[in-house]
């Protein structure tokens, strides 16, 4: 679920492509009898789509926001160079912090570039989604501490230098967990249960996913009815007559899945579309 648009997106796909492409491109193999046959093909999609969904779910107006476990760079150390803190003094301190982090297996970097000021570096690494920034200024060196800035929520925390590697390692795990909870909460807040058609499209307009009683996946005609009826009512609510056939983001709802975890179905419950006896709960929404 993408909170910014209120749309769902398919997480992964698996398709039996049959022999269509094999025949088209003349792809053959030799079977156990030594005869030539056209190959059968499958299609599996997960990796690049998952990266795209991750960017859409967690990203913000400042750029990428990467979960620590998959971030190529988990921590960046930025010295605050000024008249009170020279580059060479900051370097020895920051490199000691860097060593402690790397000793804990943390993917970290010390940004010692002299061409850019601290503010420019903050923005640079925020755009790249680095989960945690460590700032080191003259006061931090005096008090033997560092300042931690968390990318996903902007929180700041001053932490003592002793045991900094162990502390940061735990901090990254907390960030990972908190980011998941935030994304899941955003989805759950937009998951509603609807039992009457009159409430279906209004909830779509609120960027909600809609769980409804359903007469079963075998009723393809009623699934198509939901798609067309929701499109019609959504366009009417927006004061539009037709939808561009080329649009990649239709206002129509589609069936997303029949959840494994099914809520209790009260006896006599009717399908939201056909009025037939409901056999399951189905999740609907707009999607990419």
């Amino acid at each position: 679920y993408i909170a910014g648009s209120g749309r769902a997106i398919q997480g992964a796909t698996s398709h039996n492509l049959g022999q269509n492409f094999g025949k088209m491109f003349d792809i053959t193999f030799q079977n156990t009898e030594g005869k030539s046959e056209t190959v059968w093909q499958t299609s599996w999609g997960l990796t690049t789509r998952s990266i795209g969904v991750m960017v859409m779910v967690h990203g913000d107006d400042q750029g990428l926001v990467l979960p620590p476990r998959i971030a190529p760079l988990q921590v960046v150390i930025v010295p605050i160079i000024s008249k009170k803190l020279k580059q060479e003094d900051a370097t020895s301190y920051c490199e000691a912090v860097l060593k402690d982090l790397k000793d804990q297996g943390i993917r970290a970097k010390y940004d010692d570039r002299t061409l850019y000021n601290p503010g420019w570096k903050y923005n640079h690494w925020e755009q790249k989604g680095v989960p945690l920034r460590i700032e080191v200024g003259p006061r931090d060196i005096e008090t033997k501490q560092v300042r931690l800035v968390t990318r996903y929520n902007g929180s700041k925390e001053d932490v003592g230098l002793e045991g900094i590697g162990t502390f940061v390692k735990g901090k990254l795990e907390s960030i990972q967990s908190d980011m998941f909870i935030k994304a899941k909460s955003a989805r759950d807040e937009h998951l509603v249960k609807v039992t009457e058609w009159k409430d279906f499209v209004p909830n779509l307009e609120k960027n909600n996913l809609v769980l409804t009683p359903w007469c079963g996946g075998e009723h393809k005609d009623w699934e198509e009815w939901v798609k067309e009826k929701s499109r019609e009512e959504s366009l009417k609510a927006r004061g539009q007559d037709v939808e561009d056939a080329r649009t990649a983001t239709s206002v129509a709802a589609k069936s997303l899945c029949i959840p494994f975890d099914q809520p209790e179905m009260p006896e006599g419950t009717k399908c939201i579309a056909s009025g037939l006896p409901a056999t399951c709960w189905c999740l609907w929404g707009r999607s990419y």
Side-chain angles (χ1 to χ4, degrees):
Y1 176 75
I2 311 300
S5 63
R7 290 181 178 271
I9 188 166
Q10 191 175 16
T13 59
S14 58
H15 298 288
N16 179 3
L17 301 178
Q19 294 178 300
N20 294 331
F21 289 104
K23 293 175 180 176
M24 187 184 303
F25 295 105
D26 191 25
I27 307 172
T28 60
F29 71 100
Q30 190 177 61
N31 64 19
T32 55
E33 298 175 354
K35 296 179 180 180
S36 182
E37 288 189 34
T38 300
V39 299
W40 291 77
Q41 292 176 291
T42 57
S43 170
W44 303 81
L46 173 65
T47 50
T48 51
R49 181 176 302 190
S50 296
I51 293 171
V53 171
M54 179 270 297
V55 170
M56 295 171 76
V57 168
H58 298 296
D60 59 22
D61 290 344
Q62 291 172 269
L64 290 173
V65 181
L66 300 178
R69 291 182 189 173
I70 65 167
L73 183 63
Q74 296 172 308
V75 181
V76 63
I77 304 169
V78 178
I80 303 174
I81 305 302
S82 65
K83 292 181 180 179
K84 296 181 179 180
L85 180 62
K86 295 182 179 180
Q87 183 75 35
E88 54 268 26
D89 296 328
T91 294
S92 59
Y93 191 89
C94 291
E95 286 184 344
V97 174
L98 180 64
K99 181 180 183 304
D100 205 349
L101 298 179
K102 288 189 172 182
D103 286 347
Q104 292 295 323
I106 297 168
R107 298 185 292 277
K109 175 184 178 65
Y110 168 42
D111 189 344
D112 60 352
R113 292 175 292 177
T114 58
L115 183 62
Y116 304 110
N117 62 38
W120 190 96
K121 293 178 182 179
Y122 295 168
N123 184 65
H124 175 77
W125 295 114
E126 284 173 359
Q127 285 185 330
K128 290 182 175 293
V130 177
L132 197 62
R133 182 174 75 241
I134 294 181
E135 300 174 3
V136 175
R139 289 185 181 181
D140 297 308
I141 294 178
E142 289 175 8
T143 55
K144 297 188 183 303
Q145 67 174 32
V146 296
R147 170 161 287 188
L148 306 183
V149 183
T150 302
R151 172 65 181 92
Y152 90 92
N153 64 5
S155 65
K156 299 180 180 181
E157 181 180 8
D158 293 329
V159 179
L161 191 62
E162 186 175 351
I164 185 64
T166 302
F167 183 89
V168 169
K169 187 174 182 179
K171 181 72 174 179
L172 290 171
E173 284 300 313
S174 295
I175 292 172
Q176 179 80 26
S177 175
D178 292 345
M179 287 181 66
F180 174 79
I181 291 171
K182 180 182 178 182
K184 185 175 183 297
S185 296
R187 183 204 64 183
D188 292 346
E189 289 169 4
H190 287 278
L191 181 58
V192 297
K193 189 184 291 185
V194 166
T195 58
E196 296 183 59
W197 178 260
K198 67 180 179 64
D199 300 320
F200 188 90
V201 171
N203 272 287
L204 286 181
E205 290 296 310
K206 295 176 182 177
N207 286 346
N208 290 333
L209 303 177
V210 186
L211 189 65
T212 75
W214 184 239
C215 54
E218 66 274 17
H219 292 279
K220 300 294 184 183
D221 53 340
W222 283 109
E223 185 173 359
E224 191 64 24
W225 182 89
V226 170
K227 181 178 180 180
E228 295 305 322
K229 189 67 173 177
S230 62
R231 188 203 318 275
E232 175 189 323
E233 293 187 10
S234 294
L235 289 173
K236 184 178 180 180
R238 299 176 179 208
Q240 300 174 12
D241 296 324
V242 295
E243 184 174 66
D244 192 329
R246 299 168 298 175
T247 183
T249 51
S250 174
V251 296
K254 64 176 290 187
S255 59
L256 302 175
C257 67
I258 296 176
F260 289 124
D261 296 328
Q262 287 278 306
E264 183 179 352
M265 181 74 73
E267 188 175 350
T269 301
K270 303 295 185 182
C271 170
I272 195 171
S274 67
L276 297 170
T279 60
C280 63
W281 291 89
C282 182
L283 189 64
W284 307 81
R286 292 175 177 145
S287 69
Y288 288 100

